[in-house]
Structures are given as C-alpha cells and as structure tokens.
Amino acid sequence: MADGTVETSGTETVPGGLLPDPAEWSCPVPLRDPPVVVLGHGGGGALSAELMSEVFAPAYGNPVLAGLGDSAVLSLGGARLAFSTDSYVVRPLFFPGGCIGDLAVNGTVNDLAMSGAQAAYLSCAFVLEEGTELAVVERVARAVGAAAEAAGAVVATGDTKVVDAGHGDGIYVTTSGVGLVPDGVDIRPQRARPGDVVLVSGPVGLHGVAVLSVREGLEFGVDVVSDTAPLNGLVAAMLAAARDLHVLRDPTRGGVAAALNEIATASGTGVVLTEEAVPVPEAVANACGFLGLDPLYVANEGRLVAFVPPEHADAVLAAMRAHPQGAGAAVIGECVAEHPGMVVARTRLGGTRVVDLPAGEQLPRIC
C-alpha cells in the first residue's frame, strides 16, 4: 500500500512486510526436545517431567510408580512402608548451613515424611573421585552420621565406588530410606480437593541462594544460610493436630512453583496462590531481583507445602508454628475447582499471573 503497510491474510497490517501466519511457524530445533541430556532434565521442571513420562515410566512404569509422590507407599507383610531414594550432586560440597552429607540424609528423611512416615533405616552410597582428600570424605561421612542421628534414623547399609580423576566433582552421594506409615494416614498428591488450604512451613528460597552465593562468590549484604533440616518431627506434630492431611510436598528442585504444579496436575484441581503471603526473606528477594530469578522457583531443603482440609487448617497451622521447623509457617493459597491442573498467583498489584512449571533449571546442581 502507499503508506508502506502491507495487508496480511488476517485483519492486521504491519509496516514494511507481511506478518507471518502463526499457524505456519516452526522451529528447526524443538526447544523442549533436545536429543541429549541437558542440565534442565535435572531441574524438577517441565524437562524433568518429560524425562520421567517419556523415558523412565515406559521403561519400568507400574501402578506404584504412577503415584509420583516424594516416596512410594508399599504394602509388605501387613505393614505400610514408605520407600524413597535420591542422589545428591551439589556443587560446592560445603555451603552455609550444611554440606552434601547432611543434605542427602535430610532429603531422604523428608521424602519419607511427605508420606507421613518416620525414617527408620537409611542406605548411603558414595561415588568418590580419585584425588579427593580423605579428610573431605571423612567430614562428609561424619555429617551423614550426625544428620541421621538427629532424624532418629540408622544408616544400615551402603556402598562406595571410585571414578577416575576428572570424571566427578569430588563426591556424589545417594541415599535411600524406609519408614512405617501410621495407620489411618493417606497423604498423596492425588488427594488435593477444592477448598483445601495451602500452607508453607517457613521462608522460601534460602537453600538455592545459599549454594549459589558460595559457588559464584556473590555477596548480598547479609549471609544467606541454607534451610536444610529434617522435617519428620514437624510432620509428626501436624499429624497429631489432624490425621487427615491431604498432601505434603517438600519444594526442592523447582521450588514452591514446581511442587504446586505437580499437585495440581496429579489431583486435577487448580491452585490460587497469594503472592504477597509467600514468606520470602529480604536477602532472598534482593538476590533474586539482582539475578533475575523468581523466588517461587528457587529450591528449598527444609520446607514443606501442605494441602489441608479447611476445618483442620487453623489447628495444623498452630501446630506448625509451635515447632522449630515450622515457626514461620503461613497460609499462602487455596485449592480450587477452576482451571484444573493450573497454578495462578494473585499479585501485589491485584492482578493474576500463571505460575507454570519451569522449563529447565534456574540454578543447576543445588541438591
């Protein structure tokens, strides 16, 4: 046309050329279909979910695995056992508030606790890189033992392997654990119901920022210490207040956002999050603002998210706040029938935004 705009097949015009038809857009390398493993596959987000659904579930999927909880609940010899396993590849090995050793124990203890179980026995396997100082190995091993004792669990078995220099980061640790699920307790992501109150046990984002600060040599004005801690005592206190807890989840990789999305998807419900109610420490908020991160996606290692029936919410919240690991507990949202499988946040400005699964990894190698 004479004014320099060109009509498109639709109703819009653009200066100087045709507007591409979105239906014809294509990407030569699909962003969510990498042909090799990338760091994002370990981030607890969409790539992790795809790896599980497209590789591992078809290979050895079964009804027990399909529950996709933090731990599997098994019936064995008349007892209900929770069973979990996890590997830890955190870099650096030592960070403010902990190390790979206590992190590995707390992570497995907490995964069992998310089914209501108290960890009884743990296994611990070390993969050591040739050239790692034995003093470092001993320090990590002692941290494992101390953390297990603090959680009331026994390291009953283990394994050690050594890989060539240059083929590891000093130490990798894998822990597994078993514990008994109390009678009458049924905690799993599929049990979330509209009307449930969503609680978090304390300030979020501390672990991810603590690890990043020492890895990258960043300073944020105050020391940020990891929240790594065992949560089995807190869960026991919550169950004493109300046996009918619907869902518990520890928001590790992918943070609170990933945990809520996983629950919404598993239960076919929606979640409405009140953004301003989420307790974010000032140091974490400042660090995330500086780095362009969202605190909702930053990993935690000593926090849990709970979906609780509304009639029990006050009692459970009080029990949480009375426990050292839940002193900062808060109500952060509700479970709704609308927008099933989706999490939305009410913003401080009065609007809403979708809180989706992270596509990949904001902070790699933090657990």
Side-chain angles (χ1 to χ4, degrees):
M1 296 179 66
D3 61 1
T5 62
V6 179
E7 293 183 357
T8 69
S9 57
T11 59
E12 298 183 63
T13 58
V14 296
L18 291 172
L19 180 69
D21 181 357
E24 298 176 356
W25 290 355
S26 65
C27 177
V29 181
L31 297 178
R32 290 270 295 277
D33 189 23
V36 297
V37 174
V38 297
L39 281 174
H41 281 118
L47 286 174
S48 293
E50 290 176 1
L51 185 66
M52 181 66 197
S53 64
E54 297 178 14
V55 176
F56 295 123
Y60 47 76
N62 56 74
V64 177
L65 184 66
L68 295 179
D70 286 324
S71 56
V73 177
L74 315 170
S75 296
L76 188 64
R80 293 173 68 223
L81 296 177
F83 177 48
S84 181
T85 190
D86 211 341
S87 296
Y88 295 84
V89 296
V90 63
R91 179 171 59 86
L93 298 176
F94 302 92
F95 47 84
C99 73
I100 192 172
D102 51 59
L103 182 68
V105 170
N106 291 338
T108 293
V109 167
N110 294 347
D111 282 347
L112 297 174
M114 297 307 104
S115 295
Q118 295 290 313
Y121 297 101
L122 304 175
S123 72
C124 185
F126 278 65
V127 176
L128 307 176
E129 182 183 8
E130 182 185 23
T132 302
E133 295 181 8
L134 286 177
V136 171
V137 178
E138 182 181 10
R139 184 178 171 189
V140 172
R142 288 187 178 277
V144 167
E149 183 177 0
V154 174
V155 179
T157 188
D159 184 45
T160 305
K161 295 291 189 297
V162 178
V163 298
D164 298 339
H167 290 265
D169 274 339
I171 301 174
Y172 297 148
V173 180
T174 297
T175 47
S176 299
V178 294
L180 287 172
V181 179
D183 291 338
V185 171
D186 182 15
I187 303 172
R188 48 193 170 89
Q190 292 79 8
R191 290 199 67 215
R193 297 288 183 271
D196 281 357
V197 177
V198 181
L199 310 174
V200 69
S201 62
V204 303
L206 289 164
H207 176 71
V209 172
V211 172
L212 183 68
S213 67
V214 292
R215 180 190 300 171
E216 305 298 339
L218 301 175
E219 296 183 4
F220 303 111
V222 296
D223 292 334
V224 181
V225 178
S226 171
D227 59 5
T228 178
L231 297 174
N232 52 336
L234 174 62
V235 171
M238 295 168 67
L239 286 171
R243 206 72 164 174
D244 188 27
L245 303 180
H246 284 173
V247 187
L248 296 176
R249 200 79 163 190
D250 57 337
T252 53
R253 297 176 302 166
V256 170
L260 294 180
N261 272 279
E262 290 164 359
I263 295 167
T265 299
S267 61
T269 61
V271 177
V272 177
L273 189 67
T274 303
E275 195 169 56
E276 197 168 9
V278 180
V280 179
E282 183 178 2
V284 171
N286 291 341
C288 289
F290 175 74
L291 298 167
L293 305 176
D294 186 335
L296 291 176
Y297 293 93
V298 178
N300 312 270
E301 290 292 348
R303 299 287 180 257
L304 63 80
V305 171
F307 282 55
V308 181
E311 63 270 22
H312 300 315
D314 288 342
V316 172
L317 183 61
M320 294 171 74
R321 288 175 171 171
H323 191 278
Q325 297 303 330
V331 176
I332 61 170
E334 61 180 332
C335 187
V336 297
E338 295 76 25
H339 49 79
M342 181 181 294
V343 180
V344 301
R346 296 192 182 103
T347 69
R348 291 173 174 82
L349 299 178
T352 58
R353 67 181 178 97
V354 174
V355 180
D356 205 353
L357 269 178
E361 180 91 89
Q362 277 200 130
L363 303 175
R365 304 287 300 280
I366 44 77
C367 63

